[in-house]
Structures are given as structure tokens and as C-alpha cells.
Amino acid sequence: MENLRNISEFILLGFSYDSNIQLSFCVLFLFCYISLLVGNLVILLSIRCSTLFHQPMYYFLSHLSSMDICYTSSVTPKLIGDLLVEKKSISYGNCMLQVFTMHFFGGIEIFILTAMAFDRYVAICKPLHYMIIMNRTRCHLIVLAAWAGGAAHAFPQLLMAISLPFCGPNEIDHYFCDVFPLLKVACTDIYIIGVLVVANSGMVALVTFVVLVGSYVIILFTLRNHSAEGRRKALSTCGSHVTVVLLFFAPAIFIYLRPPTTFPEDKIFALFYTIIAPMFNPLIYTLRNTEMKNAMRKVWCQNNFQKKHVINFPKNNS
């Protein structure tokens, strides 16, 4: 097996060989990454420093912002650095680590999005029992279950990647390490592992997406009995969730729910769930959310106002 695994590093081909295009991509992705970090940190701190943290929806949203930062940070810094060098190499160990962290944090994010949909379902369909069903203990357990689900999803991916023998070309036609691109350079029959990857990643994405769509269909039917103001507020909140779900799940389902093949377009689709969706999450959840905007205004504007107008009283020397 040692002779079949004689590769100590992989070469990531990335997006283009043209240095000017690479520099443009570097500036673009750096801007996206900084925007993502700032936006999610602002949301995270605004929720943590306000009373919104005690509401289940914003409790889950704070965890989603944390996962956005961790998930994207497992890929984007490496991508930005590779765009500045000619040889885009990654060691075997770091490649396997990237496979694990991508699927671990990505799995947690998927299950937190599911928890947020469940929270909206209870709030709209069972409003009288909302505080009983979505108590703080249950919210903690849901987040803990999301972490356990992320681990249960990521460890099989890691084990499948580690089991692959590599003895030929070490060039991966992607900008990060994932199981499907690794299957393309493995020197073994990949059919069984490819089926397992589809059964794991593909079915997790598809089943979760169907559950999310089903919950929002039930919510829409329930909204028929609400007042116009109640429908407007509920649709505004659910609309944000639906936008995030579509940005994240549509490209993920396209990539993982198919036979183990890779296409050049995969790199473009992967940008949606690795960079674009996490970057737009702060905007999606704040632009049409009055509670979130008020909390941000109180936390950031009032703190700045108090710092500027602090009164220093003279010391009493007597």
C-alpha cells in the first residue's frame, strides 16, 4: 500500500493559468472573504450583546454565522494564497484535513439551517406552544445534534479519502481538496467509493433540502389563516431563509448527487456554497429584518455614542 500511496503533495490547478486573471480573482476573493468575516462577526456580536440572543431564531443565527466563518476559512485563505503563487501545492495531510473540515463545518451548517426552518415552523404553525417547544435546553440539544450530525457526515468522507491509493498524476482540477476530485487521480476502481460519496453527501443534501422545502410549504398553507400584517412579517423572515437555502443547496445537490465525475463548471458552482452564500448570509438576514437592524443599531451606534460623550469627572484630592 505504501507503493500505491507515494504522493506527498497535490497540485491544485485552480481557475486559470493567466497571471492577470489570477490577480483579479485574488482581489475579488479577498474582498469577498473580508466582507464575509466582517458581516458575520457584526451579526454574531450584535446578537450576543443584545436580548436577541435569548430568542431561538437568533440563537441559531449566531451559530450559523460562526459556522459560515469556520466553513469558509477552511478553503478561502488557501485559495487566495494560491492565486499569488505559481505552484499551488497542498500536502497530503493538509488535503485530508481540508476534506474533513469542509464536510464537518458544512454538515453543521446544513443542520443548523434545518433547525432554523423548524423554529419558523413552530413559531408560525404552533405559536401558543412556541416557548414550550423551543425552550433554551432544547435549542442547546438541537445545536449539539447539529455538531454530532456534522461529525457523522465528515468522518466517513475522511475515511474514504484516506483509503484511496495515489500512484500517478497528483494534479487536482479544483481549488480545494474534495472527494470527487481526489477520485479522479486515484489509481483504483472508484465505483464503490463514488456510490458511497453520493449516498453520503448527495443524499444528505437532497433529503435536507426536501425537508426544508416541505416545512416552508406547510408554513405557506398555515399563513392563509393569518392577518395581512402577520403574513407580511412571516414571509419576510421565511423569504430570507429560502434565499439562503437555495444559494447553498442548489449547487451542492448539482455536484454531489450524480455519478463520481467532475466537470470544469464544478469550480464555479462550488463558489456558491463555499464563498458566495456565506458572504450574502449577513445581508440576507439583516436587510429585511427590523429586529436585527434595531439590535445592530443599539449595539454599535449607542456604544460609539457613549464612548464619544463619556464624562471624566475630576478626582477628589481632599
Side-chain angles (χ1 to χ4, degrees), residues 107-122:
I108 296 173
E109 184 159 350
I110 285 174
F111 294 123
I112 288 179
L113 286 171
T114 308
M116 294 175 73
F118 176 71
D119 172 76
R120 291 301 85 201
Y121 164 77
V122 176

Side-chain angles (χ1 to χ4, degrees), residues 33-223:
Y33 186 57
I34 293 174
S35 301
L36 182 150
L37 291 178
V38 172
N40 281 290
L41 283 173
V42 167
I43 283 187
L44 182 60
L45 294 175
S46 298
I47 294 174
R48 294 277 181 171
C49 299
S50 69
T51 56
L52 291 182
F53 185 66
H54 302 290
Q55 299 183 32
M57 183 180 75
Y58 297 101
Y59 172 77
F60 293 135
L61 180 57
S62 67
H63 283 280
L64 181 66
S65 294
S66 301
M67 288 305 103
D68 278 339
I69 293 173
C70 296
Y71 175 60
T72 307
S73 295
S74 65
V75 174
T76 310
K78 170 66 175 169
L79 169 61
I80 295 171
D82 284 345
L83 290 169
L84 296 175
V85 298
E86 184 177 351
K87 184 181 179 182
K88 303 167 179 56
S89 61
I90 182 171
S91 67
Y92 177 86
N94 287 337
C95 183
M96 297 300 111
L97 178 63
Q98 195 173 61
V99 170
F100 175 77
T101 54
M102 273 284 299
H103 287 275
F104 178 59
F105 293 121
I108 296 173
E109 184 159 350
I110 285 174
F111 294 123
I112 288 179
L113 286 171
T114 308
M116 294 175 73
F118 176 71
D119 172 76
R120 291 301 85 201
Y121 164 77
V122 176
I124 295 171
C125 300
K126 300 179 182 297
L128 298 179
H129 302 90
Y130 178 72
M131 295 309 299
I132 298 174
I133 297 175
M134 300 302 295
N135 58 63
R136 184 42 60 102
T137 301
R138 186 158 294 165
C139 290
H140 287 325
L141 290 175
I142 290 173
V143 171
L144 183 62
W147 279 75
H153 166 66
F155 275 109
Q157 298 285 327
L158 176 64
L159 293 176
M160 285 185 283
I162 290 177
S163 68
L164 292 172
F166 302 101
C167 52
N170 64 340
E171 293 183 341
I172 299 177
D173 189 16
H174 216 300
Y175 62 90
F176 65 90
C177 284
D178 202 1
V179 181
F180 273 176
L182 287 171
L183 288 176
K184 195 172 182 180
V185 297
C187 52
T188 185
D189 184 8
I190 63 172
Y191 177 77
I192 295 178
I193 295 181
V195 171
L196 293 175
V197 173
V198 172
N200 187 330
S201 297
M203 293 308 298
V204 165
L206 180 62
V207 171
T208 308
F209 181 72
V210 170
V211 170
L212 290 172
V213 171
S215 66
Y216 288 120
V217 169
I218 296 173
I219 289 172
L220 288 175
F221 274 103
T222 306
L223 287 175

